[in-house]
Amino acid sequence: MHSETLAPILERHRRDGTRLVQILREVQDVLGWLPPEAITEIAAATAMPRVRVESTAGFYGFFHTRPMGRYRVLWSDNVTDRMLGSRELMRSMCEKLWLEPGRVSEDGLVSVDATSCTGMGDQGPAILVNGRAITRMTPRRVEEIVGLIQAQAPLADWPAEFFAVEDNIRRTGALLDHGLAPGEALAAALERGPAALIDEIKASGLRGRGGAGFSTGLKWEACRNAPRAKIGDRPQFYESQNRGLSPIFPIFPYVVCNADEGEPGTFKDRVLLTRHADLVFEGMAIAGLAVGATRGLLYLRGEYRYLLEPLEAVLARRRAAGLPGNFDIEIHLGAGAYICGEESALIESLEGKPGRPRIRPPFPVTRGYLGQPTTVNNVETLAAACLVARHGGAWYAKLGTAKSAGTKLLSVSGDVARPGIYEYPFGATVAEVLADCGTDGCSQAVQVSGPSGVTLSPDEYGRRLAFEDVPTAGSLMVFDCRRDMFEVARNFVRFFAHESCGFCTPCRVGTALAAKLMDKIAAGHGSPYDLDELSKLRGVMRGASHCGLGNSASNAIADTLAKFRPAYERRLMSSDYEPAFDLDAALSQARQMTGRDDRAAHLEESS
């Protein structure tokens, strides 16, 4: 039925099952959703079981296996977007369109829903329309967009300023003011050679900027020294997906750039990819030189779809200039799954599967993409590696602190006068950042490193942003005295409940239970018993979850309970346990339908 539409897409991807996410994305771009017959055709063309294709299609938030509106509007639901009025604006849009959130209009024209943070925290409230980012939503802009949708105007005809995304760089340092010409860092790396380059990276003290903070030099060295898989030692998955197609099996390691910037409140990688794409690609080439790879993959989060063509243009320019040498880079686009920020889940996604974290060991440096040694590095890490390659490890190690060399990009949002990107040497205090970004003096909390990070109260603003004190992946959200810290924590808990991949029970059940307990407290049915339950849940999730999501999902609850307990306690209406809802009241409609309202029809009388 869709063969003519699917054929060029499948051919372009060589009918390769490991490219399934990209195939599904392109098919959906054309058809608007993924009809069952299209899934069947894709499964046949890639020689995959249909259930495997269906599983991948059903895993990602941006894939639709049922019809959606021709205009698909998604409102960013990060807490800072809410603070800027996103919920009220979404309700207004739905009312004007005569539509309920989460539903498709009867004529199939439009659907409106919420999604997790879209990476525009410095210019919210933000939305995605058919995957295109629109920032700074206002009541007037809602009116204009509703009018364009009702007139069925193509997105290409919408005002260009709707799609403008600002960089908002407020403070620069060694990285943003690097001053390197394209090819300069790579030339320096080539002159050093792989072994000396790794030595310089180790001497620099460069640590991963994705959050874990592992030594970049040690990671590259482990990847370089890992035993290579050989033909005849093919991973079972690759064999099963490509039978009869005679693929050229890779026998070299890979470099993967993790640009799946999904932590709510973070947008620094977006700006690096916009302003300094050359530096990021050059960092990948340098990593390739270090580990012996000739191919790199950049995994770009689906919310940054608008960056795909500009990044492809930079790559084309670099290829024309001969800058990659024998190292080439391919860009893969994600499809809306926070968990793909975890490196092994990201690799699963690159291989066309649902993005669920792998059991480790083996680690990606020895058995990663397609079973080959793979180094996965953050966008900022790879950009910083260029500075080390050009200036040397000793020069870089002088920046920052003893255990945290270099500088750090911070994405600052929330209740500040100047949200945006700030670069500091490691060791800057939270108070310094607050002074630079402009607060009105009543900041009651700062959330460092997103919902999975730490919540700081004012008496902690003297703490330093560094691995030896407060580590950060780059997000810093500020909440002033007007904000309800219970609702902040509730937003974070709901985020994790939505984004849990469901692989392990402690995370799948724990995040859902935590969200229900927070909803129960918000509804006025909470008691001290429920606060104890939240604490117990944290203990189970931290110790037994499969990956970092489950282990960190309750951090915000623990911190806000310890530091902002009154925000919880003022909602507790009873000192004794209460059920989450009134079961007898819930049966009132049934009593009305059956015409019974006698004593036996009520729970308390009949018990």
Side-chain angles (χ1 to χ4, degrees), residues 61 64 66-69 71-75 77 87 90-91 93-95 97-106 108 110-115 498:
H64 310 297
R66 59 185 176 84
M68 302 297 289
Y71 294 89
R72 299 178 297 282
V73 181
L74 291 174
W75 285 81
D77 201 31
R87 305 293 286 183
M90 184 173 81
R91 271 196 295 274
M93 175 177 278
C94 288
E95 287 171 5
L97 290 167
W98 291 78
L99 184 65
E100 288 184 32
R103 298 289 182 88
V104 182
S105 61
E106 289 186 7
V110 58
S111 53
V112 178
D113 208 343
T115 186
H498 180 264

Side-chain angles (χ1 to χ4, degrees), residues 41-381:
E41 287 188 41
I42 293 169
T46 54
M48 297 176 72
R50 190 183 186 284
V51 68
R52 294 286 297 271
V53 179
E54 202 167 20
S55 173
T56 297
F59 181 82
Y60 295 91
F62 289 173
F63 287 156
H64 310 297
T65 54
R66 59 185 176 84
M68 302 297 289
R70 295 197 293 282
Y71 294 89
R72 299 178 297 282
V73 181
L74 291 174
W75 285 81
S76 182
D77 201 31
N78 182 26
V79 66
T80 56
D81 286 289
R82 289 194 180 197
M83 287 156 56
L84 293 167
S86 63
R87 305 293 286 183
E88 294 76 11
L89 290 169
M90 184 173 81
R91 271 196 295 274
S92 169
M93 175 177 278
C94 288
E95 287 171 5
K96 294 177 191 306
L97 290 167
W98 291 78
L99 184 65
E100 288 184 32
R103 298 289 182 88
V104 182
S105 61
E106 289 186 7
D107 58 1
L109 178 65
V110 58
S111 53
V112 178
D113 208 343
T115 186
S116 301
C117 178
T118 59
M120 303 288 164
D122 56 333
Q123 47 206 301
I127 63 173
L128 297 174
V129 181
N130 293 0
R132 295 281 305 277
I134 298 179
T135 62
R136 301 191 187 286
M137 290 297 295
T138 61
R140 180 177 178 180
R141 188 161 280 189
V142 167
E143 289 265 8
E144 292 172 325
I145 289 175
V146 167
L148 289 165
I149 290 173
Q150 290 173 332
Q152 303 189 34
L155 248 63
D157 295 340
W158 289 25
E161 63 265 26
F162 281 14
F163 304 102
V165 177
E166 299 168 9
D167 292 335
N168 291 323
I169 296 176
R170 310 289 188 183
R171 190 181 195 279
T172 59
L175 184 58
L176 295 177
D177 282 337
H178 59 82
L180 298 176
E184 189 176 344
L186 180 58
L190 286 166
E191 189 174 339
R192 292 182 194 279
L197 173 63
I198 289 178
D199 286 342
E200 287 297 322
I201 295 289
K202 288 163 68 176
S204 74
L206 178 63
R207 300 171 66 167
R209 300 296 196 249
F214 190 76
S215 164
T216 302
L218 290 177
K219 179 181 275 192
W220 288 5
E221 186 176 58
C223 187
R224 183 172 186 83
N225 295 336
R228 300 331 191 215
K230 300 174 183 175
I231 294 176
D233 185 27
R234 302 174 182 177
Q236 187 177 3
F237 170 77
Y238 195 82
E239 188 76 70
S240 67
Q241 302 311 314
N242 294 277
R243 55 182 178 274
L245 295 178
S246 301
I248 300 172
F249 189 71
I251 56 172
F252 301 108
Y254 290 89
V255 172
V256 171
C257 175
N258 184 349
D260 190 59
E261 187 176 40
E263 192 73 39
T266 310
F267 43 85
K268 64 180 179 63
D269 293 348
R270 184 201 82 208
V271 175
L272 275 176
L273 291 167
T274 303
R275 285 283 191 96
H276 301 286
D278 264 306
L279 201 67
V280 177
F281 290 140
E282 197 138 324
M284 293 180 69
I286 289 170
L289 172 69
V291 306
T294 58
R295 190 178 169 209
L297 302 108
L298 186 145
Y299 188 95
L300 181 66
R301 73 180 301 212
E303 288 84 347
Y304 295 166
R305 168 68 180 81
Y306 74 99
L307 284 175
L308 181 59
E309 284 78 16
L311 289 172
E312 293 282 12
V314 174
L315 276 179
R317 174 171 51 75
R318 291 181 64 85
R319 289 189 190 107
L323 285 178
N326 65 343
F327 183 84
D328 202 9
I329 295 171
E330 187 177 326
I331 301 175
H332 281 234
L333 197 60
Y338 167 79
I339 190 61
C340 287
E342 198 276 343
E343 64 175 3
S344 66
L346 184 148
I347 290 171
E348 290 282 294
S349 184
L350 283 172
E351 292 180 349
K353 294 177 278 186
R356 296 192 178 95
R358 293 176 175 175
I359 295 172
R360 295 181 292 181
F363 293 93
V365 287
T366 57
R367 201 169 179 84
Y369 180 63
L370 299 180
Q372 296 293 328
T374 303
T375 178
V376 181
N377 294 110
N378 177 266
V379 170
E380 188 182 351
T381 312

Side-chain angles (χ1 to χ4, degrees), residues 382-434:
L382 291 165
C386 292
L387 301 185
V388 179
R390 174 62 183 83
H391 301 293
W395 175 87
Y396 192 82
K398 290 180 181 176
L399 305 172
T401 67
K403 295 183 179 178
S404 308
T407 64
K408 186 74 192 81
L409 299 188
L410 299 178
S411 314
V412 180
S413 62
D415 294 316
V416 297
R418 294 176 293 280
I421 299 298
Y422 293 73
E423 181 179 5
Y424 294 90
F426 272 112
T429 65
V430 175
E432 289 176 59
V433 179
L434 292 178

